[in-house]
Amino acid sequence: MKEDILLEVKNLKTHFITSKGTAKAVDGLDFVLKKGETLGIVGESGCGKSITSLSILRLIPSPPGKIVDGQILLHGKDLVEMSDQEIRKIRGNQISMIFQEPMTSLNPVIPVGEQIAEALRLHQKLSRKQAWEKAVEMIRLVGIPAPEKRAKQEPYQLSGGMRQRVMIAMALACTPEVLIADEPTTALDVTIQAQILELMKDLQRKIGMGIIFITHDLGVVAEMCDKVAVMYAGQIVEYQTTANLFKTPLHPYTQGLIGSLPKLYEDQEELQIIEGTVPSPYDYPTGCRFADRCPFVQDLCRNQQPEIIHVEDSQQVRCWKYTDQWKEELVKEEVIL
Amino acid sequence: MLLFILKRLAQVVPVIFGVTLVVFLIMQMVPGDPAIIMAGEGASTETVEQLREDLGLNEPLHVQYFSYIGNILQGSLGNSLKNNQPVLDEILIRLPITMELAFFSILITIVLGLTAGIISAVKPYSVSDISVMVVALLGISLPSFWLGLLLMYTFSIKLQWLPVAGWDSFAHIILPAITLGAGGAAIVARMTRSSMLEVIGQDYVRTARAKGLKEHTIIYKHALRNALIPVITVVGLQFGSLLGGTVIVESVFAINGLGRMIVDAIRTRDIPMVQGGVLVASLVFVFVNLLVDVMYKVFNKRIDLN
């Protein structure tokens, strides 16, 4: 349903123009986030996940970074085209973000309650007292004991898990419609990680926001997400529901990723690996960016970049394997043989 | 906090002993006999000898030193060899003048330095940044006696806006304070710039942006408070060289402050006066350092003072 669409990203391209050349960190991204839905963006380090999230809030350090093309539509309004003043009204209000590093993402010299309250004063025009009370309430909501006392403390007096809870409280204070969580649990140990994920799901049910969940952890994806976009070298290579992704991964890269997970009930001597390394964003190959590492590679793959193909209604993949050309290619090979 | 301040005050005692010892020994080593200077040229040997006896200059060094310390503990810094007046009285007249000069100089250092540093850091490598940094480089390079003369020539002699020398009104303070504060302002500006640039690149500044805060709030509330911590150190250190600088600036602008008093006293080998002056200057410096440490705690609660 069209009206359920919160955020729509169309052909987003974020490039970094440096003395070494142009790094195409995000290179033509399309996805849709619906109300109450959690979209996972997965991929290995450097594939452009974090740059995507920063691009949405226009937080790319510029120069050298720049959104060179595409649209980011929030309720149909393009964030890319907005003035600085307009985008400031969106940030922290309609779209919030939780960052990867709870240790460094909070200001070390400002009490955490104030760090939450300032966004409330700014966006919801609350008075100092009201904002503070709401901030304390938010700290309570994310499950930190003694919120009145904690609110007055500075980040160094809080544990890592508590700081990430504060980050979540800060992000959710203005009840955003979209929450971007950029590896929110990566820096935390496993028990705290589970608590934080549970908390996010719980708050999502209460507030009904859409979440973009960025991670490299497939386990977390399975736990959290409705849909998944798999990114490789600045592009989405596969986009489908989480259940289908684990059942029938389409792209050879996704198949490799899932294959490389240790399996609980099978006797494995060694884990599967994906040979080779990611191409440099300064110099992508002409054909498929995964071609050099792909076990199914054909000449076609090296010569021409594949487009996103709709395999089934909800399954999208960027791979020649699922096209008619591929079948023709195979027929040709058989003829030669 | 209180415990820390008390502890630091207790530390002042050995520091003061050290200062008195060093000054005492240095004054013993410099050539020239105070008794001869006091008695004046052409005085008879007997007169000089009598003076030496009266001043206790014939006593062994350690006896002289301990009687000096004993006097300090009784609140006396001795009498001037020149006019036999109590040193403390002279210092109490001079110190407020120097403190006033130091206060306005450090004010210029802080206000000018911080402003320039922030302007530079907000738009790095822009025209404003480069011009500010060039001026700052000049500020560091110019010796204060030369800058003082230059300012005096321009604003007092040519433009006749400000008085040439002396210490009667607020207008008299302006040029000496600028002369004395300029070097520090330049150093503070450079420090603020690099510290701000580092802080602006931190994750928490990005968090502040992601909250939708205005650039103004981000710079002054989130970045500056963190960037100030290393700047406070520099300002504290700067105060030490500023006290040293009063010696030159007071001489250039003919201000009867503590610095000029010490210079005159050194010239006439007025040992009690030099010792008293240096002692008081060191005391001031020690207290300023204490103040700097307390400021650290105010700006960064993570610092455990104890």
Side-chain angles (χ1 to χ4, degrees):
Chain A
M1 287 231 287
K2 190 79 182 169
E3 54 266 34
D4 279 350
I5 293 178
L6 276 177
L7 190 76
E8 192 172 6
V9 172
K10 287 182 179 171
N11 192 31
L12 177 68
K13 290 186 178 177
T14 306
H15 293 178
F16 287 80
I17 297 138
T18 69
S19 53
K20 278 199 287 179
T22 301
K24 296 172 181 168
V26 174
D27 202 20
L29 218 59
D30 296 270
F31 63 82
V32 167
L33 180 73
K34 287 182 186 165
K35 214 177 154 201
E37 180 185 71
T38 303
L39 169 70
I41 299 182
V42 290
E44 56 199 283
S45 303
C47 73
K49 315 184 289 287
S50 290
I51 299 301
T52 306
S53 64
L54 291 172
S55 298
I56 294 172
L57 275 182
R58 297 237 317 260
L59 289 171
I60 297 292
S62 169
K66 195 167 188 271
I67 297 175
V68 291
D69 197 9
Q71 289 179 310
I72 301 164
L73 304 170
L74 178 73
H75 293 301
K77 265 197 219 154
D78 192 356
L79 303 182
V80 179
E81 296 294 322
M82 279 187 181
S83 71
D84 287 350
Q85 202 189 344
E86 286 171 313
I87 190 84
R88 275 205 299 268
K89 283 186 186 149
I90 306 272
R91 289 176 186 161
N93 191 20
Q94 284 176 280
I95 304 179
S96 283
M97 197 158 170
I98 305 173
F99 294 99
Q100 192 169 359
E101 291 290 338
M103 295 300 170
T104 55
S105 294
L106 290 170
N107 194 316
V109 301
I110 299 179
V112 292
E114 166 60 20
Q115 295 192 48
I116 300 171
E118 62 180 344
L120 287 161
R121 291 202 302 269
L122 182 76
H123 296 301
Q124 305 201 336
K125 309 286 176 230
L126 297 186
S127 71
R128 237 165 218 288
K129 190 161 171 285
Q130 288 170 324
W132 181 262
E133 280 163 6
K134 179 89 191 279
V136 171
E137 197 43 51
M138 288 310 296
I139 296 175
R140 191 194 316 277
L141 187 69
V142 294
I144 298 177
E148 289 89 358
K149 182 180 142 221
R150 290 297 182 187
K152 288 179 198 144
Q153 292 185 330
E154 286 170 14
Y156 75 99
Q157 293 166 298
L158 273 54
S159 70
M162 277 198 262
R163 290 187 210 185
Q164 195 59 297
R165 283 165 191 266
V166 168
M167 283 295 293
I168 293 174
M170 197 194 292
L172 299 185
C174 298
T175 45
E177 295 171 83
V178 179
L179 176 69
I180 304 169
D182 186 358
E183 309 221 20
T185 56
T186 306
L188 305 172
D189 62 57
V190 187
T191 38
I192 307 293
Q193 184 171 342
Q195 288 173 16
I196 297 278
L197 294 180
E198 201 47 53
L199 173 70
M200 287 181 64
K201 277 203 279 191
D202 188 40
L203 294 172
Q204 183 181 30
R205 275 193 294 271
K206 282 181 190 157
I207 301 174
M209 65 204 163
I211 299 181
I212 297 176
F213 201 100
I214 290 170
T215 182
H216 61 256
D217 187 338
L218 285 171
V220 173
V221 168
E223 178 83 5
M224 289 293 290
C225 304
D226 303 311
K227 277 189 190 165
V228 190
V230 180
M231 277 187 81
Y232 186 81
Q235 294 175 326
I236 289 176
V237 292
E238 179 158 358
Y239 184 46
Q240 59 169 329
T241 61
T242 311
N244 277 341
L245 187 90
F246 284 95
K247 210 163 54 193
T248 49
L250 298 174
H251 198 279
Y253 176 61
T254 324
Q255 289 167 357
L257 281 184
I258 291 172
S260 69
L261 291 175
K263 289 172 189 68
L264 202 52
Y265 302 109
E266 281 173 37
D267 203 14
Q268 282 175 298
E269 284 286 311
E270 277 179 40
L271 294 176
Q272 261 189 55
I273 54 163
I274 305 172
E275 298 277 353
T277 51
V278 190
S280 157
Y282 290 99
D283 185 25
Y284 285 130
T286 9
C288 172
R289 290 176 188 180
F290 189 63
D292 279 347
R293 305 173 75 182
C294 184
F296 309 103
V297 63
Q298 297 290 332
D299 286 346
L300 178 65
C301 305
R302 296 191 191 279
N303 297 335
Q304 208 181 334
Q305 219 189 103
E307 295 296 321
I308 281 272
I309 304 147
H310 294 251
V311 179
E312 302 253 324
D313 188 36
S314 66
Q315 293 180 302
Q316 298 176 22
V317 65
R318 189 186 287 276
C319 180
W320 285 118
K321 250 179 92 184
Y322 303 92
T323 59
D324 293 339
Q325 283 109 306
W326 181 273
K327 289 167 199 150
E328 287 163 21
E329 186 96 342
L330 285 185
V331 171
K332 261 193 281 172
E333 264 186 31
E334 272 169 25
V335 171
I336 296 164
L337 287 173
Chain B
M1 182 72 119
L2 192 70
L3 186 72
F4 166 74
I5 293 176
L6 288 176
K7 264 190 192 169
R8 280 295 300 264
L9 285 177
Q11 283 172 12
V12 170
V13 177
V15 170
I16 295 302
F17 267 105
V19 171
T20 52
L21 188 63
V22 170
V23 176
F24 182 80
L25 289 178
I26 288 175
M27 286 312 287
Q28 292 300 324
M29 280 187 275
V30 288
D33 185 339
I36 296 175
I37 294 169
M38 251 185 104
E41 296 232 357
S44 68
T45 328
E46 289 78 33
T47 322
V48 172
E49 195 47 44
Q50 185 59 44
L51 257 175
R52 298 181 70 92
E53 196 58 42
D54 292 349
L55 294 170
L57 294 175
N58 286 333
E59 301 282 339
L61 269 188
H62 66 275
V63 175
Q64 286 187 42
Y65 178 68
F66 283 115
S67 83
Y68 175 60
I69 292 292
N71 285 334
I72 292 179
L73 292 178
Q74 290 168 36
S76 161
L77 292 174
N79 288 351
S80 162
L81 297 184
K82 207 166 65 185
N83 52 18
N84 214 22
Q85 294 298 307
V87 168
L88 192 61
D89 292 357
E90 183 73 17
I91 288 175
L92 288 180
I93 298 169
R94 306 275 196 136
L95 184 64
I97 299 175
T98 298
M99 289 315 289
E100 204 178 343
L101 174 61
F103 173 78
F104 283 104
S105 305
I106 205 81
L107 201 68
I108 286 175
T109 294
I110 294 170
V111 173
L112 212 66
L114 277 185
T115 317
I118 293 168
I119 291 174
S120 275
V122 169
K123 279 190 180 169
Y125 309 108
S126 65
V127 178
S128 55
D129 174 29
I130 292 166
S131 4
V132 166
M133 282 304 119
V134 168
V135 174
L137 197 63
L138 278 177
I140 291 175
S141 319
L142 289 182
S144 60
F145 63 87
W146 193 72
L147 178 65
L149 290 175
L150 204 71
L151 289 175
M152 203 191 273
Y153 177 77
T154 317
F155 293 99
S156 307
I157 297 169
K158 281 284 160 192
L159 297 169
Q160 301 206 336
W161 288 352
L162 293 165
V164 177
W167 197 254
D168 297 321
S169 65
F170 184 72
H172 284 91
I173 303 179
I174 298 172
L175 290 186
I178 293 175
T179 309
L180 196 52
I187 292 170
V188 168
R190 287 163 66 96
M191 192 68 212
T192 307
R193 177 183 187 268
S194 63
S195 180
M196 278 292 276
L197 282 181
E198 197 187 310
V199 168
I200 285 173
Q202 295 290 319
D203 287 348
Y204 54 80
V205 171
R206 188 180 61 188
T207 308
R209 284 221 167 83
K211 265 189 268 186
L213 299 179
K214 294 197 179 74
E215 205 55 31
H216 186 269
T217 319
I218 294 168
I219 295 294
Y220 289 97
K221 184 172 172 185
H222 285 263
L224 188 60
R225 278 189 58 181
N226 286 285
L228 274 184
I229 295 161
V231 175
I232 295 169
T233 319
V234 173
V235 170
L237 288 174
Q238 230 21 66
F239 194 83
S241 54
L242 196 130
L243 277 184
T246 57
V247 172
I248 293 162
V249 172
E250 286 178 359
S251 299
V252 171
F253 287 93
I255 299 164
N256 282 321
L258 197 65
R260 197 160 170 228
M261 185 198 88
I262 295 174
V263 174
D264 290 344
I266 291 172
R267 203 178 300 136
T268 55
R269 301 289 178 277
D270 193 344
I271 295 175
M273 198 68 120
V274 177
Q275 285 170 334
V278 174
L279 185 65
V280 169
S282 343
L283 263 177
V284 171
F285 189 51
V286 168
F287 281 109
V288 167
N289 269 324
L290 177 61
L291 189 71
V292 167
D293 286 345
V294 172
M295 292 295 282
Y296 269 156
K297 181 70 183 168
V298 172
F299 278 93
N300 187 358
K301 298 211 175 71
R302 276 173 300 178
I303 290 173
D304 184 6
L305 292 176
N306 298 315

